[in-house]
Amino acid sequence: MGDEKFVFLDDAAELPPKAAKQSTLKTKGKILSVDDDLSYQQSLLYSLRDFVAKGDVDEILTANSAAEAATLIATQDDIAVILLDVVMEDDDAGLRLVETIRNVQGNSLVRIVLLTGQPGVAPRKDVMAQYDIDEYWNKSEIDYDIMKAVVASNLRAWRSMYQLEQARVGLQLVIDASRKLASKYDKNSFIQVVLNEVALLIGGGTSVPTLCVATQSPNDSFDKSYILAYSGDDVVQTGQSIPQHLCRQFGPLYEAAVADHRHHFSDNLSILCFPNNQEESSHYFILAEGREPLSEYNIHLLQVFGENISSGFMKIALINQLSNLAYLDSELQIYNQNWLLRELETMNHADREQTELVMISIDNFDSQTLTFSEKTLFQMITDTHQKIAGLFNKTIGVSRIETSIFAVLCNNDESVSDEALLNFTNQVSQVDGEIRNYTLTIVKVDLAHMDSFSPMQILYLAKSMLYTSRQKGRAFMVYSPSYQEKLLNDYQILNDLKTAIVEHEFFLVLQPKVDLRTEHPVGLEALLRWKKQEQVIPPNVFIPIAEKSGMITKLDLIALELTIEALKSLDKKGYHVPISFNATVKDLYDSNYIQFIEEAIAVEHIDPDLLDVEITETQAMDSYEKVNPILERLHNLHIHVSIDDFGTGYSSLAHISKLAADTIKIDRAFVTNLREDKANQQVVELVLNLAQLFGFSVVAEGIETEQERDALLSKGCHIGQGYLYAKPMPLPELLTWLETHEPQKVMN
């Protein structure tokens, strides 16, 4: 029959019936024929009907188009072989279906055999090289016998891969389950999971009788063993001896397993042997009774799985120890962040309704590492923990989630009052006879508000509250839903900022700096503003968010670009006025930012004397070693450098004397009410003396009254800016203002 072609049936021929014979596999697989030539498909089905009749496959399915086949494959996970016509509704319909199966549906197991009656449309060599298919035949080359052989070989290949995949999935489920249980549950819980998985691996589901038995001594007989755990429909008491019917049923296998310390299998019975675990001298046995005789596949899988069980018995004590380490702080031997997240994860709705989270942070701990010894700092941490434990009489647990941050979980009825928590923020620690005063920041979160939050979201929320409290100078803060609303609002602003950058929604305003003696402008300060849908967003709304998110560098670059444009526009009008613009240390570290300035000077012919980079005192001093060389580079380009907010930081005189800067700006906080405020007067005098000593010019910010101006002049400060003279203005408005305020050429 080697040259016999397919027998063509009429359209009324019936499809092959479903197989009735049972198999030890979960599925024998199905064959799918995809062909728009119905006559050819009918003859193919007739030729393959023996595969169904003999029980080799479950069913033969048909589809008449690639689209119909794609839908069918997506809903059937046990299709073993696809006989696929290349040319159907389109010339490449079959090949596109291959791409869908492999890359979209992610089905790598199914075997695909391409069949074509038009070999010129999709040449074999090209197709085999480009597509993940298993065989490719011209319909004119394949006869009845060849087709049966092709289908049979691909069925065998699919079953091998299917069995391996089933084994992998089964083992992975057990390994995952074991890992989860090992960190929290005892040995018996681990064994119970193993029993359930063994029942699934032998193909009978959780109703199959499986049990774990143990012996008091390796030499005990089977009837002296006792039941550790049981799974199945029957009622068997744990801790009791083996029932007589099970002794009779499993006795011979048990004796064989004890004799050679190996697993044994017989018909539908299996016994897995695990001798002498590290904790005890007893043996463990897993007994299982399948519904059908065990296949070689089942036995092999149980043997491989047995290795995992054996490792679990041997290592479970070690895993428990490691679990403790994973949830304990190594220094204080109290709970850590992992424990906190686990507790939050296991809480149900009712638990959260009754629980509070209190987070306590030691203020300025990082900066104190430069001042105090490790012993002193550790003593501070230890004392803080002891005081927390004393403040909270009853807790679910106290954990250390960072070096200087503690978290307390407690029931609402055991919580500490807000007043007590506020008083707790001031602390004293005694080390080596010395008294150390320090402060804490504390936030409290009622988890009843957090029912929809994940543990990590709760943790991040509490940490963000600590950050916000420090920023606002508040020692104690209680969570309210409005805080979440602010976070969401900030998140929306952040997203809007990203859009604003793309849509060019930013513009520049410029505030004049004037000679306080003549009131003539001597310079300008560039300030970035954001206009969204005809609404100007205040800078105090979006600048902090940009700083926290790291987007401030992008905004600074936009401000620089707009400053260059403003200088060019002013130059065209005949005004040669220097403009200062804000920069951060991150800007200065960015070679692209510096390169932009250099290109503006070289390409745009911007006079470098008209560029004035403003950096805050805090950033300049904190990053002095890295920043000063960059400032010197700017100086070499004849670009001016101003130190903004001077007096608000803690500068080193040694650094100030060598700082590559031209101007220091007195912060508006020291200018306000200058005539009456003695402390502000002293700060201004100090700044002016330093400026004279080190050769800096001085600009005072925020001048709003004539009294403030007169006080500055009386102390020798001649340059300033503020609402007394002019508010920040867009360029067109500034040009109008300059018509009546002629700029001075030189700043004194």
Side-chain angles (χ1 to χ4, degrees):
M1 196 174 175
D3 58 353
E4 181 179 345
K5 301 300 180 184
F6 296 130
V7 177
F8 285 82
L9 306 177
D10 56 35
D11 293 340
E14 296 181 357
L15 294 178
K18 291 186 178 181
K21 184 179 177 181
Q22 297 298 317
S23 169
T24 56
L25 282 176
K26 177 183 177 182
T27 179
K28 290 167 291 201
K30 298 174 183 177
I31 299 173
L32 171 61
S33 172
V34 186
D35 203 311
D36 61 351
D37 185 340
L38 300 184
S39 297
Y40 183 85
Q41 190 175 69
Q42 289 293 329
S43 66
L44 187 148
L45 296 176
Y46 180 78
S47 302
L48 300 179
R49 63 188 298 129
D50 285 350
F51 285 96
V52 179
K54 293 178 180 179
D56 294 326
V57 297
D58 290 320
E59 186 179 1
I60 299 180
L61 307 171
T62 62
N64 304 129
S65 68
E68 181 184 350
T71 302
L72 189 61
I73 295 166
T75 59
Q76 302 272 346
D77 62 356
D78 55 354
I79 294 177
V81 180
I82 300 175
L83 303 173
L84 176 60
D85 187 15
V86 176
V87 180
M88 289 180 287
E89 59 263 44
D90 297 307
D91 288 349
D92 62 345
L95 298 179
R96 284 189 285 106
L97 179 59
V98 173
E99 287 288 307
T100 299
I101 294 169
R102 298 301 194 204
N103 300 327
V104 179
Q105 297 177 348
N107 189 336
S108 61
L109 291 181
V110 66
R111 308 286 291 181
I112 301 176
V113 179
L114 284 186
L115 302 172
T116 183
Q118 303 178 45
V121 175
R124 176 183 279 110
K125 182 178 180 181
D126 295 341
V127 170
M128 294 297 290
Q130 296 179 26
Y131 294 90
D132 183 9
I133 62 173
D134 300 289
E135 295 192 44
Y136 187 10
W137 290 87
N138 293 333
K139 291 181 179 179
S140 61
E141 297 174 350
I142 191 166
D143 60 19
Y144 175 83
D145 289 332
I146 294 175
M147 177 59 75
K148 291 184 66 175
V150 167
V151 172
S153 66
N154 280 282
L155 278 173
R156 286 193 296 271
W158 177 83
R159 285 178 185 136
S160 296
M161 293 189 295
Y162 180 82
Q163 290 171 1
L164 289 174
E165 178 65 12
Q166 290 297 102
R168 184 193 68 78
V169 172
L171 287 174
Q172 189 63 51
L173 287 173
V174 175
I175 291 170
D176 290 345
S178 300
R179 285 174 178 167
K180 293 177 182 178
L181 291 175
S183 65
K184 191 172 182 179
Y185 296 99
D186 57 17
K187 185 188 305 179
N188 288 338
S189 299
F190 170 79
I191 292 172
Q192 193 66 54
V193 170
V194 170
L195 295 184
N196 293 338
E197 295 300 327
V198 167
L200 292 173
L201 291 176
I202 62 177
T206 55
S207 63
V208 170
T210 55
L211 65 156
C212 176
V213 301
T215 59
Q216 298 288 354
S217 167
N219 298 320
D220 281 350
S221 61
F222 191 40
D223 58 355
K224 292 184 179 179
S225 301
Y226 61 95
I227 298 173
L228 281 178
Y230 180 82
S231 175
D233 291 337
D234 295 342
V235 178
V236 176
Q237 295 295 325
T238 58
Q240 302 297 317
S241 58
I242 310 297
Q244 287 299 314
H245 73 282
L246 291 179
C247 286
R248 291 190 298 270
Q249 189 175 15
F250 285 95
L253 285 181
Y254 174 84
E255 299 298 337
V258 169
D260 57 17
H261 294 175
R262 291 192 301 110
H263 311 315
H264 279 266
F265 309 93
S266 176
D267 195 31
N268 66 329
L269 301 179
S270 61
I271 183 165
L272 306 180
C273 174
F274 308 101
N276 295 333
N277 105 318
Q278 290 181 339
E279 290 184 283
E280 305 167 3
S281 61
S282 58
H283 289 349
Y284 293 92
F285 301 90
I286 304 294
L287 284 61
E289 178 185 2
R291 299 188 184 281
E292 299 178 9
L294 296 171
S295 66
E296 291 184 6
Y297 161 73
N298 296 131
I299 293 173
H300 176 71
L301 188 55
L302 286 172
Q303 288 172 330
V304 174
F305 180 47
E307 295 300 319
N308 287 272
I309 301 173
S310 179
S311 298
F313 278 126
M314 290 189 296
K315 295 178 181 178
I316 195 163
L318 177 60
I319 291 174
N320 285 334
Q321 292 175 7
L322 293 175
S323 174
N324 287 336
L325 291 175
Y327 295 108
L328 287 179
D329 179 78
S330 59
E331 290 186 317
L332 299 182
Q333 292 300 302
I334 64 174
Y335 296 129
N336 61 14
Q337 178 173 296
N338 292 336
W339 175 87
L340 176 64
L341 293 173
R342 187 185 68 175
E343 289 301 307
L344 293 173
E345 181 69 40
T346 57
M347 285 184 179
N348 56 32
H349 173 74
D351 293 333
R352 291 194 178 188
E353 285 286 331
Q354 303 172 10
T355 307
E356 288 181 354
L357 169 64
V358 178
M359 199 167 285
I360 303 170
S361 173
I362 301 175
D363 293 335
N364 304 315
F365 185 84
D366 291 340
S367 62
Q368 294 182 66
T369 59
L370 302 175
T371 307
F372 301 116
S373 66
E374 291 184 10
K375 178 183 177 182
T376 301
L377 293 174
F378 184 70
Q379 186 64 54
M380 182 187 297
I381 291 172
T382 303
D383 288 352
T384 302
H385 168 245
Q386 292 174 349
K387 291 173 181 178
I388 291 172
L391 180 65
F392 293 85
N393 295 324
K394 293 182 180 180
T395 66
I396 300 172
V398 179
S399 60
R400 184 187 184 193
I401 61 173
E402 287 185 14
T403 303
S404 58
I405 301 179
F406 296 89
V408 183
L409 281 177
C410 61
N411 294 323
N412 291 340
D413 54 1
E414 301 289 346
S415 64
V416 176
S417 69
D418 292 355
E419 182 181 1
L421 289 174
L422 181 59
N423 293 334
F424 191 71
T425 58
N426 293 296
Q427 292 295 331
V428 177
S429 179
Q430 185 171 359
V431 181
D432 296 333
E434 294 187 23
I435 302 298
R436 307 285 188 190
N437 294 306
Y438 65 100
T439 59
L440 306 174
T441 298
I442 302 177
V443 299
K444 184 171 76 172
V445 179
D446 188 342
L447 296 186
H449 298 301
M450 304 282 117
D451 197 41
S452 62
F453 285 53
S454 71
M456 194 59 75
Q457 287 175 323
I458 294 174
L459 180 63
Y460 285 157
L461 179 73
K463 286 185 176 181
S464 74
M465 289 177 62
L466 283 177
Y467 176 82
T468 301
S469 296
R470 294 193 197 100
Q471 291 292 102
K472 294 184 176 181
R474 295 171 56 181
F476 176 63
M477 181 177 179
V478 179
Y479 172 82
S480 66
S482 62
Y483 181 80
Q484 181 188 355
E485 292 174 6
K486 183 182 183 306
L487 288 180
L488 294 174
N489 182 61
D490 289 352
Y491 179 74
Q492 183 60 52
I493 291 174
L494 181 60
N495 284 334
D496 290 343
L497 270 175
K498 295 176 182 178
T499 302
I501 292 173
V502 176
E503 300 295 332
H504 306 290
E505 295 178 355
F506 296 97
F507 66 98
L508 207 64
V509 293
L510 300 132
Q511 184 175 37
K513 302 173 187 178
V514 302
D515 187 321
L516 304 184
R517 297 163 296 185
T518 65
E519 297 191 0
H520 287 296
V522 294
L524 302 167
E525 180 178 6
L527 301 166
L528 194 65
R529 295 293 184 263
W530 176 19
K531 189 174 185 180
K532 176 186 175 186
Q533 297 176 352
E534 303 305 318
Q535 178 185 3
V536 176
I537 310 298
N540 64 336
V541 171
F542 72 87
I543 293 296
I545 295 172
E547 290 175 338
K548 286 191 290 185
S549 66
M551 290 183 63
I552 191 66
T553 54
K554 294 183 179 180
L555 299 189
D556 287 344
L557 183 58
I558 292 173
L560 174 57
E561 293 172 348
L562 294 175
T563 297
I564 299 298
E565 293 301 318
L567 281 169
K568 291 160 62 177
S569 298
L570 287 167
D571 183 65
K572 290 179 180 179
K573 296 291 185 179
Y575 298 113
H576 303 285
V577 186
I579 301 181
S580 62
F581 51 92
N582 294 310
T584 65
V585 292
K586 288 184 178 180
D587 295 329
L588 300 181
Y589 293 159
D590 187 351
S591 59
N592 292 328
Y593 186 86
I594 302 298
Q595 183 180 356
F596 184 88
I597 296 176
E598 292 175 338
E599 289 179 353
I601 296 171
V603 179
E604 303 289 345
H605 304 294
I606 298 296
D607 184 352
D609 284 322
L610 299 181
L611 294 174
D612 188 349
V613 176
E614 287 194 10
I615 183 172
T616 65
E617 176 196 8
T618 301
Q619 289 190 327
M621 293 300 115
D622 287 349
S623 309
Y624 173 80
E625 298 296 338
K626 292 180 66 176
V627 169
N628 204 46
I630 301 174
L631 299 181
E632 289 176 349
R633 177 180 172 185
L634 296 175
H635 255 184
N636 292 335
L637 295 173
H638 301 287
I639 296 171
H640 293 269
V641 175
S642 295
I643 305 302
D644 198 11
D645 300 336
F646 198 84
T648 60
Y650 303 92
S651 298
S652 162
L653 289 178
H655 288 170
I656 291 176
S657 65
K658 299 177 182 178
L659 191 64
D662 307 281
T663 303
I664 51 180
K665 301 185 71 175
I666 301 175
D667 188 74
R668 63 182 303 169
F670 304 114
V671 174
T672 301
N673 200 26
L674 181 60
R675 185 178 291 277
E676 291 79 17
D677 194 315
K678 298 289 185 183
N680 284 358
Q681 291 176 16
Q682 292 174 348
V683 171
V684 171
E685 289 173 359
L686 175 62
V687 172
L688 289 168
N689 290 334
L690 285 174
Q692 185 176 10
L693 179 63
F694 297 122
F696 297 122
S697 62
V698 177
V699 175
E701 295 182 299
I703 304 172
E704 296 187 355
T705 66
E706 294 180 354
Q707 290 80 6
E708 291 169 353
R709 176 202 61 195
D710 294 341
L712 287 166
L713 282 171
S714 68
K715 297 184 182 299
C717 180
H718 299 152
I719 307 298
Q721 63 187 93
Y723 282 10
L724 177 63
Y725 301 102
K727 295 181 178 181
M729 297 171 279
L731 184 59
E733 187 177 336
L734 173 68
L735 290 172
T736 301
W737 185 87
L738 287 173
E739 291 176 359
T740 56
H741 298 78
E742 183 65 27
Q744 285 183 198
K745 293 185 178 181
V746 180
M747 291 177 64
N748 296 322

